[in-house]
Amino acid sequence: MTTTPGFRPTHVVPGDGMPAWEAPDPARPTVPLDALLPVQLVERRGDWAHISCANGWSAWVDGRYLVAVPQDPPVAGDPLTEATDPRGLLARATEALTGYRAAVEELAVGGLDGESFRGRTHGLRIGVVVDGESMWLYDPAEGRWLYGDGRRLSTYVTDRAGPGGGPGHDPTRVVTPDGDR
């Protein structure tokens, strides 16, 4: 994936994903956005938010459901605690990936059928993104993504649904100064 120069996420898409539109108009839907996708808020018009993605793609969304992220990643400096040490979560992600790879290998050589493969991998969730010194790790036990700089982790965003659930409707229509919708 090519990243647009200067892209810095200001928000992420909620854990259930969200609908998107070509323009701030419910009659012009486009491809829905994936859960926890980092986006940059470009403009707001009432409840509508114009967002940009790392690859340069942009869309309009219901801005009320975007999850704000901290402006600056956490700064290391305090001693590590078990909750902030990335090694344990990295080890669990490695074990889960090794187990998944073994299941794929067994499926590929005919040792597992599709149903057995689904049963063996059911409920498995792994997430690791590394970009230089920055990393994002998914903690399936807590249902959250953590940001790490190699020294410590801190919660980046959670995928637990908040009160009222996620967006399932069109954003409020924008009324222009002349009264048109």
Side-chain angles (χ1 to χ4, degrees):
M1 176 178 89
T2 304
T3 302
T4 303
F7 176 82
R8 181 173 175 126
T10 59
H11 294 78
V12 293
V13 171
D16 292 335
M18 70 187 312
W21 293 266
E22 292 177 10
D25 177 356
R28 298 187 57 196
T30 188
V31 178
L33 300 175
D34 292 333
L36 306 176
L37 175 72
V39 299
Q40 184 177 45
L41 180 64
V42 176
E43 176 185 358
R44 287 204 72 123
R45 291 187 194 168
D47 291 335
W48 288 98
H50 187 217
I51 54 95
S52 176
C53 301
N55 65 1
W57 188 76
S58 65
W60 289 86
V61 298
D62 186 340
R64 297 173 294 178
Y65 294 102
L66 290 174
V67 180
V69 297
Q71 288 300 310
D72 293 312
V75 178
D78 296 332
L80 288 177
T81 66
E82 186 176 337
T84 62
D85 187 342
R87 293 174 292 183
L89 189 52
L90 280 168
R92 289 191 298 278
T94 299
E95 289 169 13
L97 184 57
T98 299
Y100 185 82
R101 182 177 180 183
V104 167
E105 295 282 344
E106 204 170 328
L107 179 66
V109 298
L112 285 179
D113 60 20
E115 186 174 328
S116 298
F117 177 77
R118 279 188 296 282
R120 192 159 153 187
T121 60
H122 178 75
L124 180 64
R125 295 190 81 192
I126 305 169
V128 178
V129 177
V130 177
D131 184 13
E133 71 177 23
S134 298
M135 72 176 164
W136 291 263
L137 294 169
Y138 184 70
D139 181 353
E142 297 294 325
R144 64 186 177 154
W145 280 92
L146 298 123
Y147 171 82
D149 62 2
R151 295 177 294 264
R152 66 181 327 97
L153 294 174
S154 64
T155 299
Y156 185 70
V157 66
T158 180
D159 65 0
R160 305 272 192 235
H169 59 83
D170 297 341
T172 306
R173 300 226 31 179
V174 175
V175 178
T176 61
D178 62 355
D180 293 339
R181 289 180 179 239

